[in-house]
Amino acid sequence: MFQRLFGRERHANRAITEALYAQIVAAARQTVFYSDWNVPDTPLGRFEMLSLHMFLFQHRLRGEGGAAAELAQVLIDEFFLDVEHSLRELGISDVGVPKRMKRLAKMFYGRTAAYDDALREDDRVALGMALARNVRPNAGEWPEAPLLAGYVAEASRQLAAQPSESIVAGKVSFPVAGDA
């Protein structure tokens, strides 16, 4: 009896995790990022956008307790499992994956600190500069950086307005990129 009950709970939790992760990935894959805002449509460019949206999700749940905190941890674990799987699909050897994962994790957490500081200070210029540094390194001037910074600020605002109960139930909503 207990196994049946716990099995159902685990399946429900997995369904919520998969639904949330799919919504985060869909937000990160919005066409406008790559076609109009010149985010590189490369594995690293897609990693940057997924990292950005994962940061926004984690930023929203920061300070929450209980199920929300557990969900935030499960989703960050899911994110890194997905990144590892992607590395393997790209042909990175079993020996090279841990080294690359360590580097990508360091990149992720470094970015989250920069984005968090800029959002906390409501500094879109600093946010745009951090995004340009991370999303298009060595590319020089990136005129679309303020557009992405505006999107990030709006996404943060919209996520903050979403009830935790809704998120824990598997529903998170990001803005449509390019909508004013």
Side-chain angles (χ1 to χ4, degrees):
M1 181 174 136
F2 287 116
Q3 190 172 15
R4 237 180 333 158
L5 289 174
F6 291 124
R8 284 185 189 152
E9 181 179 321
R10 200 170 342 173
H11 181 68
N13 289 341
R14 185 70 194 152
I16 289 169
T17 301
E18 288 175 359
L20 287 169
Y21 194 70
Q23 292 166 69
I24 292 167
V25 169
R29 289 186 177 166
Q30 293 182 68
T31 306
V32 72
F33 296 137
Y34 307 96
S35 64
D36 297 348
W37 294 357
N38 294 317
V39 170
D41 194 6
T42 62
L44 193 53
R46 290 187 295 273
F47 168 78
E48 290 296 344
M49 295 311 293
L50 184 54
S51 293
L52 177 61
H53 285 81
M54 185 56 64
F55 157 74
L56 286 164
F57 182 83
Q58 296 291 318
H59 183 77
R60 164 57 185 88
L61 293 182
R62 184 177 297 133
E64 299 270 340
E70 291 174 28
L71 186 59
Q73 183 59 55
V74 167
L75 274 162
I76 201 71
D77 293 345
E78 185 72 20
F79 166 67
F80 282 112
L81 283 172
D82 187 33
V83 170
E84 180 180 346
H85 178 74
S86 295
L87 288 174
R88 292 179 190 284
E89 281 186 341
L90 288 170
I92 307 299
S93 70
D94 288 341
V95 174
V97 168
K99 182 174 137 185
R100 299 231 183 169
M101 284 301 298
K102 185 176 181 179
R103 185 173 149 247
L104 290 170
K106 185 177 178 181
M107 288 169 58
F108 174 78
Y109 288 110
R111 283 149 173 69
T112 62
Y115 300 155
D116 189 51
D117 289 345
L119 282 175
R120 187 178 55 254
E121 297 296 323
D122 194 24
D123 187 344
R124 286 201 190 177
V125 172
L127 183 57
M129 289 171 54
L131 289 164
R133 214 175 27 250
N134 297 319
V135 175
R136 294 192 51 94
N138 308 318
E141 191 70 24
W142 183 31
E144 295 82 7
L147 297 172
L148 185 55
Y151 169 84
V152 170
E154 178 60 19
S156 180
R157 188 192 66 72
Q158 282 189 24
L159 287 166
Q162 293 175 39
S164 297
E165 298 78 25
S166 176
I167 295 171
V168 169
K171 178 70 176 134
V172 66
S173 181
F174 290 88
V176 175
D179 283 0

